């Protein structure tokens, strides 16, 4: 992978875009092939029924608990049963003793690490949130369905908000859905889980009374991460061929967007323009930058990795180089 050395973070040497792989013996390949062939039709048929029919039924037909049960069944088909869930700074075995405020609930915002299509599926099975897409040049977000959030993990990076799409703010989503959780992927594109990309400024549109919970989701083995877009076949193979997968979830303590109180409640700064598409620093004040840094540092600590300086443009260039190298 030396030819991709230009896509390493200069400070840490981390390569967040190289796909992860796990060695397999000849015997295990035969075993995994048999498991894959057994699971594939079941997984595809169940997914089709859920996303085409069941996901569109109103809540009085399929209540929230039934929907979560259906999602856990979908997770169970590829062997995702064991989840190691911990709260940052809380001893093991004492989760039940923690107040509900330590968990994302109504009017909360999740700032989740983005590595795999399973991220959105797991968050839906636990929190049933409203999913959003963030962009590098605006504080606004796009509300999307669960299926769109899953497919986002296999999509190429978007360097600017698409024209013609209906965008909104986190403040508006919270006010319109006061009993729901909002899910944000502030990195905007997936990595292999080894680094945290620079954030979109979308979290800055959160209201001051909504807690923002950084959540890290890691997988063992890590080969179901999808840092390269379009890897549908390899993702399905890695997901369905292994007998089981382990998810490690870490939730940090919630923080609030105090910058809305500092700079004026209800103030919505202008969208970030083309002059600074990647970081959005042109219209991000120092207090706002400190908030984004605090959330990013929390995610890096939870995921036991580091923040990197590689941007979406770097990932787009890496994807081009990767695809050319595979031809």
């Amino acid at each position: 992978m030396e030819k991709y050395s230009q896509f390493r973070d200069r400070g840490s040497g981390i390569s967040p875009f190289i796909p992860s792989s796990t060695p397999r013996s000849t015997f295990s390949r035969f075993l995994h092939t048999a498991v894959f062939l057994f699971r594939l039709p079941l997984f595809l048929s169940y997914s089709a029924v859920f996303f085409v029919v069941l996901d569109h039924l109103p809540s009085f037909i399929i209540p929230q608990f039934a929907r979560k049960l259906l999602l856990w069944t979908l997770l169970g088909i590829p062997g995702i049963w064991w989840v190691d869930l911990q709260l940052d700074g809380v001893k093991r075995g004492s989760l039940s003793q923690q107040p509900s405020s330590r968990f994302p609930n109504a009017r909360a915002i999740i700032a989740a690490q983005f590595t795999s299509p399973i991220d959105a599926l797991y968050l839906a099975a636990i929190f049933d949130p409203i999913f959003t897409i963030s962009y590098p040049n605006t504080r606004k977000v796009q509300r999307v369905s669960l299926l769109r959030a899953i497919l986002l993990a296999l999509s190429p990076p978007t360097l600017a908000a698409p024209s013609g799409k209906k965008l909104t703010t986190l403040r508006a989503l919270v006010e319109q859905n006061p009993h729901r959780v909002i899910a944000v992927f502030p990195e905007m594109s997936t990595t292999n889980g080894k680094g945290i990309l620079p954030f979109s400024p979308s979290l800055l549109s959160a209201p001051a009374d909504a807690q923002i919970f950084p959540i890290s989701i890691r997988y063992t083995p890590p080969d179901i991460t999808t840092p390269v877009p379009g890897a549908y076949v390899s993702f399905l193979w890695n997901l369905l061929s292994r007998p089981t997968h382990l998810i490690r979830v870490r939730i940090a303590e919630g923080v609030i967007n105090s910058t809305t109180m500092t700079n004026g409640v209800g103030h919505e700064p202008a969208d970030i323009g083309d002059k600074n598409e990647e970081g959005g620093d042109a219209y991000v004040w120092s207090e706002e930058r400190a908030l984004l840094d605090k959330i990013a540092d929390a995610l890096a600590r939870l995921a036991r990795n580091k923040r990197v300086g590689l941007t979406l443009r770097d990932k787009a260039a890496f994807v081009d180089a990767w695809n050319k190298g595979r031809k």
Side-chain angles (χ1 to χ4, degrees), residues 166-186:
K166 185 178 180 181
L167 303 181
T168 185
T169 63
L170 295 179
R171 173 188 296 276
L173 285 177
V174 170
E175 294 301 327
Q176 294 165 8
N177 305 273
H179 303 295
R180 299 286 299 277
V181 175
I182 312 297
V184 179
F185 297 108

Side-chain angles (χ1 to χ4, degrees), residues 7-325:
F7 301 109
R8 290 181 180 271
D9 179 61
R10 293 184 178 181
S12 62
I14 293 173
S15 298
F17 307 134
I18 299 292
S20 300
S21 59
T22 305
R24 307 192 191 199
S25 65
T26 303
F27 174 77
S28 66
R29 283 186 176 275
F30 282 111
L31 175 62
H32 291 170
T33 300
V35 174
F36 175 80
L37 294 176
F38 173 77
R39 285 176 171 171
L40 181 63
L42 183 61
F43 181 79
L44 293 180
S45 59
Y46 189 95
S47 298
V49 171
F50 179 83
F51 289 112
V52 174
V53 180
L54 300 179
D55 196 34
H56 300 283
L57 295 179
S59 58
F60 67 85
I61 296 179
I62 299 184
Q64 186 183 65
F65 78 91
R67 187 171 187 271
K68 289 184 176 182
L69 181 61
L70 291 171
L71 288 169
W72 273 113
T73 303
L74 182 57
L75 286 169
I77 293 174
I80 303 176
W81 291 108
W82 181 256
V83 178
D84 178 17
L85 172 63
Q86 292 293 320
L87 297 179
D88 188 34
V90 175
K91 294 182 179 179
R92 287 182 178 272
S94 58
L95 286 180
S96 60
Q97 303 172 11
Q98 302 306 310
S100 60
S101 59
R102 282 302 313 268
F103 296 89
N105 46 43
R107 297 185 65 84
I109 296 171
I110 292 173
Q113 186 181 7
F114 199 21
T115 62
S116 171
I118 303 301
D119 296 342
L121 196 58
Y122 172 78
L123 291 176
I126 297 297
F127 303 108
D128 189 27
I130 294 172
F131 288 98
T132 63
I133 299 178
S134 298
Y135 298 100
N137 60 341
T138 178
R139 299 178 184 227
K140 293 184 178 180
V141 297
Q142 180 184 354
R143 179 174 177 172
V144 295
S145 65
L146 169 59
L147 179 60
R148 181 68 180 87
I150 292 173
L151 295 178
L152 180 65
L154 291 160
S155 303
T158 302
L159 302 181
S163 59
K165 296 292 184 180
K166 185 178 180 181
L167 303 181
T168 185
T169 63
L170 295 179
R171 173 188 296 276
L173 285 177
V174 170
E175 294 301 327
Q176 294 165 8
N177 305 273
H179 303 295
R180 299 286 299 277
V181 175
I182 312 297
V184 179
F185 297 108
E187 296 174 278
M188 300 170 284
S189 191
T190 52
T191 68
N192 56 16
K194 296 180 180 179
I196 302 297
L197 300 181
F199 276 10
S200 162
S202 60
L203 289 173
L204 299 176
S205 69
D209 62 342
Q211 285 191 304
I212 304 173
F213 289 86
I215 295 184
S216 166
I217 304 175
R218 294 185 297 153
Y219 303 95
T220 303
D223 51 10
I224 59 173
T225 58
T226 55
V228 177
Y232 294 94
V233 175
S234 60
F235 168 70
L236 286 175
W237 165 256
N238 291 326
L239 178 68
L240 300 176
S241 63
R242 292 190 176 276
T244 186
H245 301 270
L246 170 63
I247 303 181
R248 290 183 172 88
V249 182
R250 299 294 182 267
I251 304 177
E253 191 170 0
V255 299
I256 62 170
N257 182 12
S258 58
T259 62
T260 60
M261 295 182 288
T262 302
N263 301 318
V265 175
H267 180 68
E268 295 286 350
D271 285 350
I272 297 159
D274 295 335
K275 292 183 179 179
N276 195 355
E277 287 186 347
E278 292 295 343
D281 287 325
Y283 292 95
V284 174
W285 299 313
S286 59
E287 297 89 348
E288 295 174 325
R289 174 55 54 192
L291 173 66
L292 294 178
D293 288 341
K294 182 177 181 179
I295 298 172
D297 289 339
L299 268 184
R301 184 183 70 255
L302 295 177
R304 297 182 181 179
N305 56 27
K306 296 182 179 180
R307 296 171 61 185
V308 298
L310 298 172
T311 64
L312 293 189
R313 291 191 182 277
D314 293 318
K315 178 169 181 178
F318 168 81
V319 171
D320 289 340
W322 180 268
N323 290 335
K324 289 179 182 179

